[in-house]
Amino acid sequence: MPVILGLESSCDETAAALVTSDRQILAHKLAGQEAEHRPFGGVVPEIAARAHIEVLTPLVEGALAEAGMALFDVDAIAATAGPGLIGGVMVGLVTGKALAFATGKPLIAVNHLEGHALSPRLADPNLKFPYLLLLVSGGHCQLLLVQGGGRYRRLATTIDDAAGEAFDKTAKLLGLGFPGGPAVERAAREGDPSAIRFPRPLVGSAEPHFSFAGLKSAVLRARDAGTHATADLAASFQQAVIDCLVDRTRIALTAHSDVTALVVAGGVAANGAIRNALSALAESYGLPFNAPPLWLCTDNAAMIAWAGAERLAAGLFDDLDVPARARWPLDPDAAPARGAGVKA
Ligand code: KG4
Ligand code: ZN
């Protein structure tokens, strides 16, 4: 069975994993950079790139040792080639190119979003194409029709902030620390989700796009009013995000009810309240709901190795001059969302 070495370094996690084409995770090594970025309240690209350089090679060696394998036993090398912070992406991709060149094994340049999009199929062999995917991470908030490896139709995107970005900014506003998503979820557990009626941007609009920038400003105003407990602010914010995600996903499901499942992936998919709400939505459509285990939701290298396995099976390799890309849409034909700001 082919073994794929996966490398991930597009944001603030450095990771290396060995995964087989029949879904065995032989090894997974991950180093976070939370301590380095915490004093700045967010990810600092230059600090991230330097940290990736320091730890990536030891992580690869650690993964090989854990699996009891030599580098030459690996059948292909899959590295994230974008989108993401360009310095970090270059560290992982150049490392992948060097290993591919040295071993003569194929290089597979993986789109990080494809890693998230296919991650549920690593965890669940029964998940078949096509499925409707809500991809919610720190940099993206999209609804995608996943028709096959390399075949994506983007149905919707955010016109301003990503969902994870909204969690991170809200955490900062509420003094809950970094990284924000898990901190907001923890605080929300102690609060009343109906305490404050925050806006639900774009809810009810015909196209299933997203918007979260106004919500963040509303949290700021409510905080400054000084009358609400932090837990109530967190719970009410999280409820507003959930209502937006569910409403927008419902629009997409209504238009594409022939899918095999509703799937959520990306870092924000680690949120229990969001998973529960989407699971209930899927049930109301008589569809299975699928979400990867929590460790596969946030950035990791197993999902990159798995996307590599799917591409290897399809014969999709890359030349050693494949570029690192800060931006790299999964569906290059998707039109920009009407009203969108700088982000595609
Ligand atoms: O997929 P990911 O690890 O990195 C990107 O590709 O962006 O996603 C990170 C994002 C961050 O914004 C983080 O705050 C959010 O996922 N996140 C969560 C939770 N865990 C991580 N958001 C809400 N609830 C969580 N439990
Ligand atoms: Zn990610």
Side-chain angles (χ1 to χ4, degrees), residues 46-167:
E46 183 60 26
I47 293 176
R50 285 166 190 257
H52 290 307
I53 291 172
E54 278 170 27
V55 299
L56 185 54
T57 305
L59 289 179
V60 171
E61 287 167 350
L64 289 167
E66 191 175 312
M69 290 177 66
L71 184 58
F72 281 85
D73 299 334
V74 167
D75 295 286
I77 291 142
T80 298
L85 302 172
I86 195 67
V89 173
M90 285 171 74
V91 171
L93 183 59
V94 167
T95 304
K97 287 178 180 182
L99 296 177
F101 183 68
T103 57
K105 302 295 166 75
L107 172 75
I108 303 167
V110 173
N111 183 314
H112 179 84
L113 301 176
E114 180 162 54
H116 281 302
L118 298 177
S119 64
R121 281 170 49 83
L122 169 57
D124 183 356
N126 296 316
L127 177 61
K128 301 279 187 278
F129 302 120
Y131 51 87
L132 180 71
L133 172 71
L134 174 64
L135 201 170
V136 270
S137 70
H140 296 86
C141 185
Q142 304 188 345
L143 280 160
L144 293 151
L145 211 49
V146 182
Q147 294 157 321
R151 291 172 54 221
Y152 303 91
R153 216 178 113 200
R154 200 192 73 192
L155 305 174
T157 186
T158 178
I159 63 168
D160 42 56
D161 291 350
E165 197 176 354
F167 269 94

Side-chain angles (χ1 to χ4, degrees), residues 112 116 137-139 164-165 167-168 179-182 185 266-268 270-271 297-299:
H112 179 84
H116 281 302
S137 70
E165 197 176 354
F167 269 94
D168 294 333
E185 184 179 15
V268 181
N271 185 292
C297 288
T298 45
D299 286 350

Side-chain angles (χ1 to χ4, degrees), residues 38 41-42 167-184 186:
R38 187 169 289 121
F167 269 94
D168 294 333
K169 287 177 176 170
T170 293
K172 212 168 178 177
L173 289 175
L174 300 182
L176 293 170
F178 172 84
V184 170
R186 261 194 312 277

